[in-house]
Amino acid sequence: MQKNIYLDYVATTPVDKKVFQKMKPYFSEKFGNPSSVHSFGQEAMQAVDDARENIAKFLSCSSSSEILFTSGATESNNMAIRGVLRKYYTNLGKDAPIPHIIISAFEHHSVLTTCEELEKEKLAEVSYLPIENNGIIKTETIKKAIKKTTLLISIMYVNNEIGTIQPIEEVGKIIATENVIRKEDGMSKIFFHTDAVQAINYLDCDVQKLGVDLLSFSGHKIYGPKGVGVLYIKKGTAIKRIQDGGDQEYKMRAGTYNVPSIVGLGEAVKQIIEHSSEQNNRNNKIKDLRDYLISKVLKEIPNTYLNGSLEKRTPNNVNFRFDNIEGEGLLLSLDMEGIYASTGSACSSGSLNPSHVLLALGLKHEQAHGSLRLTLGKETTREEIDFTIEKIKTIVKRLRKISGNVLDEF
Ligand code: PMP
């Protein structure tokens, strides 16, 4: 019988059983609307508050009111950027100087296209900063890009395609220093946002240490449900809501609470907190499997490379590049073997364009097209990895032969 091997944990994770159990009563039993004044509604509100507390604790917030629930990280990222801009224009009027936003060239599309749209709308000037070949942005590059008009800097914590970890804490320090000077000069501060979607499972996300004003993440990447996310908003951040309507979420995001999903997200984060020491072991186990996969494939398949730094990378991410291979062909062949991987991010899989992340690393189009992302999770086993390695070897051999591009024999 063919087995299914899921190696796409960065695209999404299964809902943890404990998370699911915690969510269940909030569909048909405790279904009250948290905005209702009666005690049935307030019971649901209590569950939302508990989830908010868990998340505030995890991020080391100064108050749980700094946590805003959204429909996912896409909305959180839109809100962080558009919300800061909306407040800027509300305060200064539509004839205010066009503010400057800094992002990296390999941000997730929810940040990238939001910024591109804002430029088209002539509401912002955006700098898309280059990435080094190892998939990490230099803090010096960010420092140099800051202008008098810079209003917002948004740099992702971990890249979703290649797993490389960005120096968020250092960037936070640079911005804090710049803000001290600005304060003395009577200028408004620069706000700092990070998309931490791919960091939550593996890295320290203490917002005080990171020095961020805004941080986004999503439920479905951390063994929680889909369609729910968080935007951390530091107290005092000049931001306006982008979704108008009712007074929910401290008047910052209108719309009826998605109670079951919020409860699930809170429980997913609680699981991370409660298993933090065990989590280290789990992450080490994932990292060992990852390193085994990387070293075997690089050793046994010639003309194969790892995209992005090995050292500054989350434990779960592998992104290979194979000379003379079409990533899509490899992906489909793996799928036929029951192995579920990806060539880039799930959000852009409908596009035939090469990954903007891989191009940002300086790869040529054909190199970017020959890439494969395999991402591991807490259920991944050594047997699955061994099976996958063997299948990749066979398929690469076959595809190179078909295309008449046999490189070194193996
Ligand atoms: N940012 C990053 C880095 C992501 O990986 C994703 C999901 N692929 C998102 C944002 C969007 O998250 P969501 O699916 O919750 O909208």
Side-chain angles (χ1 to χ4, degrees):
M1 203 182 78
Q2 182 173 316
K3 40 183 189 167
N4 294 330
I5 299 179
Y6 184 77
L7 289 173
D8 204 11
Y9 283 88
V10 153
T12 200
T13 55
V15 173
D16 182 275
K17 287 192 177 62
K18 280 194 184 145
V19 169
F20 185 50
Q21 285 308 324
K22 188 92 185 189
M23 290 171 70
K24 263 162 80 177
Y26 293 92
F27 287 99
S28 309
E29 295 159 43
K30 304 177 183 185
F31 61 86
N33 186 332
S35 303
S36 300
V37 180
H38 50 68
S39 42
F40 193 54
Q42 288 314 294
E43 186 184 25
M45 184 51 110
Q46 186 58 53
V48 170
D49 286 344
D50 290 348
R52 209 188 296 280
E53 285 290 339
N54 287 340
I55 295 161
K57 183 174 163 202
F58 175 70
L59 296 178
S60 302
C61 298
S62 50
S63 155
S64 62
S65 61
E66 294 180 321
I67 298 300
L68 190 83
F69 290 112
T70 64
S71 64
T74 296
E75 185 190 327
S76 302
N77 288 343
N78 270 265
M79 163 117 192
I81 299 167
R82 286 195 176 270
V84 166
L85 222 67
R86 204 173 178 199
K87 183 73 178 177
Y88 172 86
Y89 282 111
T90 305
N91 285 347
L92 300 182
K94 64 176 177 17
D95 296 327
I98 291 186
H100 177 230
I101 298 177
I102 295 174
I103 66 168
S104 79
F106 75 168
E107 292 297 314
H108 185 263
H109 278 110
S110 52
V111 167
L112 206 58
T113 54
T114 299
C115 286
E116 286 166 0
E117 283 305 312
L118 288 169
E119 274 195 304
K120 279 188 213 149
E121 293 163 27
K122 303 216 174 339
L123 292 173
E125 178 207 354
V126 184
S127 297
Y128 304 88
L129 301 187
I131 305 298
E132 301 304 302
N133 293 342
N134 63 358
I136 295 161
I137 192 162
K138 269 194 174 158
T139 48
E140 203 49 36
T141 311
I142 298 173
K143 203 170 171 182
K144 280 192 196 142
I146 297 176
K147 299 183 185 188
K148 279 208 172 101
T149 51
T150 305
L151 174 68
L152 178 71
I153 299 180
S154 179
I155 305 289
M156 69 200 319
Y157 200 168
V158 170
N159 182 272
N160 49 308
E161 288 190 32
I162 54 173
T164 49
I165 302 168
Q166 307 307 308
I168 297 304
E169 203 174 325
E170 284 172 59
V171 179
K173 285 187 184 135
I174 290 171
I175 297 172
T177 309
E178 177 69 24
N179 279 340
V180 170
I181 301 167
R182 284 185 167 218
K183 200 171 178 186
E184 283 165 6
D185 294 347
M187 290 166 68
S188 56
K189 69 174 275 188
I190 300 172
F191 296 102
F192 183 26
H193 167 248
T194 190
D195 172 347
V197 167
Q198 302 294 348
I200 302 291
N201 278 329
Y202 303 106
L203 304 177
D204 186 355
C205 290
D206 179 326
V207 289
Q208 318 294 340
K209 275 196 215 153
L210 295 177
V212 292
D213 301 293
L214 299 145
L215 178 146
S216 311
F217 72 93
S218 182
H220 71 107
K221 313 284 184 174
I222 58 167
Y223 303 92
K226 295 172 180 58
V228 66
V230 159
L231 179 62
Y232 155 77
I233 306 175
K234 186 179 176 176
K235 209 167 167 221
T237 301
I239 185 166
K240 202 170 173 193
R241 71 185 192 177
I242 58 168
Q243 182 163 305
D244 296 319
D247 283 347
Q248 291 91 347
E249 290 295 85
Y250 308 99
K251 299 189 180 170
M252 280 301 289
R253 191 217 182 229
T256 301
Y257 294 85
N258 179 359
V259 182
S261 295
I262 290 172
V263 168
L265 177 53
E267 183 60 26
V269 168
K270 190 167 167 223
Q271 291 294 318
I272 299 177
I273 300 172
E274 281 179 359
H275 297 101
S276 53
S277 53
E278 196 187 298
Q279 193 85 5
N280 274 339
N281 292 338
R282 184 188 286 165
N283 292 348
N284 285 340
K285 188 198 120 200
I286 295 175
K287 185 172 173 293
D288 287 348
L289 279 179
R290 179 203 72 178
D291 291 345
Y292 171 71
L293 168 62
I294 293 174
S295 66
K296 267 208 118 170
V297 167
L298 294 187
K299 201 162 113 209
E300 297 183 12
I301 308 181
N303 307 94
T304 302
Y305 319 86
L306 181 74
N307 292 320
S309 162
L310 174 62
E311 294 76 29
K312 290 214 157 57
R313 187 182 199 101
T314 44
N316 63 332
N317 182 294
V318 179
N319 194 311
F320 290 124
R321 188 171 83 247
F322 302 89
D323 281 349
N324 295 345
I325 288 286
E326 270 293 328
E328 292 295 324
L330 180 52
L331 192 70
L332 293 177
S333 302
L334 285 170
D335 186 42
M336 281 159 69
E337 300 288 352
I339 300 168
Y340 307 134
S342 143
T343 49
S345 80
C347 309
S348 52
S349 55
S351 155
L352 289 176
N353 296 329
S355 143
H356 71 289
V357 171
L358 300 179
L359 294 183
L361 300 191
L363 297 186
K364 298 198 187 87
H365 280 222
E366 62 273 21
Q367 290 176 312
H369 275 304
S371 294
L372 175 75
R373 183 183 77 179
L374 301 158
T375 49
L376 287 61
K378 59 184 182 186
E379 285 97 356
T380 308
T381 64
R382 169 77 179 242
E383 292 69 41
E384 290 179 334
I385 295 298
D386 275 328
F387 184 79
T388 304
I389 294 168
E390 283 317 306
K391 290 299 169 192
I392 293 177
K393 277 167 68 176
T394 317
I395 296 165
V396 167
K397 219 180 232 182
R398 193 182 70 228
L399 291 178
R400 282 183 178 162
K401 207 172 230 165
I402 293 170
S403 67
N405 279 316
V406 182
L407 296 160
D408 305 319
E409 280 297 339
F410 65 99

